[in-house]
């Protein structure tokens, strides 16, 4: 790495899941969190993260809508969509889709790779 840690925005409406995932990702990345899609978009605009990790089922704006808004604002940003559904429609703006339950090691590896790609 070039000294600066990869910045991650984690958008998850379940408080316990959000706190646990943030805590696990903070070992390797600078993590900001948001509890819904609208707050996630505001946090994205304020922090300019390299990678957005978002749940699909969010109040106000779902994960695929958030991904589209993120890509329209910053095409180089990377988006990982997390979903409990087998099929996710309109995931075209997402760089990766992970099924729940989340494999944290896989997610961390993916965030690292996507974060590096977002910077180059």
């Amino acid at each position: 790495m070039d000294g600066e840690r990869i910045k991650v925005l984690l958008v998850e409406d379940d408080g316990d899941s959000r706190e646990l995932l943030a805590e696990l990702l903070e070992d390797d990345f600078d993590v900001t969190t948001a509890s819904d899609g609208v707050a996630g978009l505001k946090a994205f605009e304020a922090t300019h993260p390299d990678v957005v990790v978002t749940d699909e089922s969010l109040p106000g704006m779902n994960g695929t809508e958030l991904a589209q808004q993120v890509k329209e604002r910053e095409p180089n940003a990377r988006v990982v969509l997390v979903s409990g559904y087998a099929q996710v429609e309109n995931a075209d703006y997402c760089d990766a889709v992970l099924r729940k339950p989340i494999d944290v090691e896989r997610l961390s590896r993916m965030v690292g790779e996507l974060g590096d790609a977002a910077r180059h």
Side-chain angles (χ1 to χ4, degrees), residues 18 26 30 38 47 53 67 74 76 87-88 91 93 102 115-116:
R18 185 175 60 248
E26 282 171 346
D30 285 341
V38 175
T47 63
V53 177
E74 180 49 66
N76 288 334
Q87 296 285 331
V88 179
Y93 292 94
I102 298 171
D116 286 341

Side-chain angles (χ1 to χ4, degrees), residues 3-19:
E4 192 175 323
R5 286 161 48 109
I6 291 169
K7 294 194 301 187
V8 178
L9 170 60
L10 174 63
V11 187
E12 168 62 67
D13 59 323
D14 180 78
D16 291 338
S17 296
R18 185 175 60 248
E19 285 180 36

Side-chain angles (χ1 to χ4, degrees), residues 3-95:
E4 192 175 323
R5 286 161 48 109
I6 291 169
K7 294 194 301 187
V8 178
L9 170 60
L10 174 63
V11 187
E12 168 62 67
D13 59 323
D14 180 78
D16 291 338
S17 296
R18 185 175 60 248
E19 285 180 36
L20 178 62
L21 265 181
E23 200 172 290
L24 293 168
L25 291 173
E26 282 171 346
D27 286 343
D28 299 309
F29 311 107
D30 285 341
V31 180
T32 303
T33 62
S35 60
D36 62 53
V38 175
L41 186 57
K42 288 179 182 170
F44 177 81
E45 291 172 336
T47 63
H48 305 283
D50 302 298
V51 181
V52 176
V53 177
T54 181
D55 187 24
E56 169 60 2
S57 300
L58 297 169
M61 176 190 305
N62 68 29
T64 49
E65 292 168 331
L66 176 60
Q68 180 176 353
Q69 294 294 320
V70 162
K71 291 291 192 169
E72 287 175 359
R73 286 161 174 74
E74 180 49 66
N76 288 334
R78 301 300 195 254
V79 180
V80 177
L81 182 74
V82 177
S83 176
Y85 302 111
Q87 296 285 331
V88 179
E89 302 215 1
N90 305 318
D92 303 346
Y93 292 94
C94 303
D95 296 284

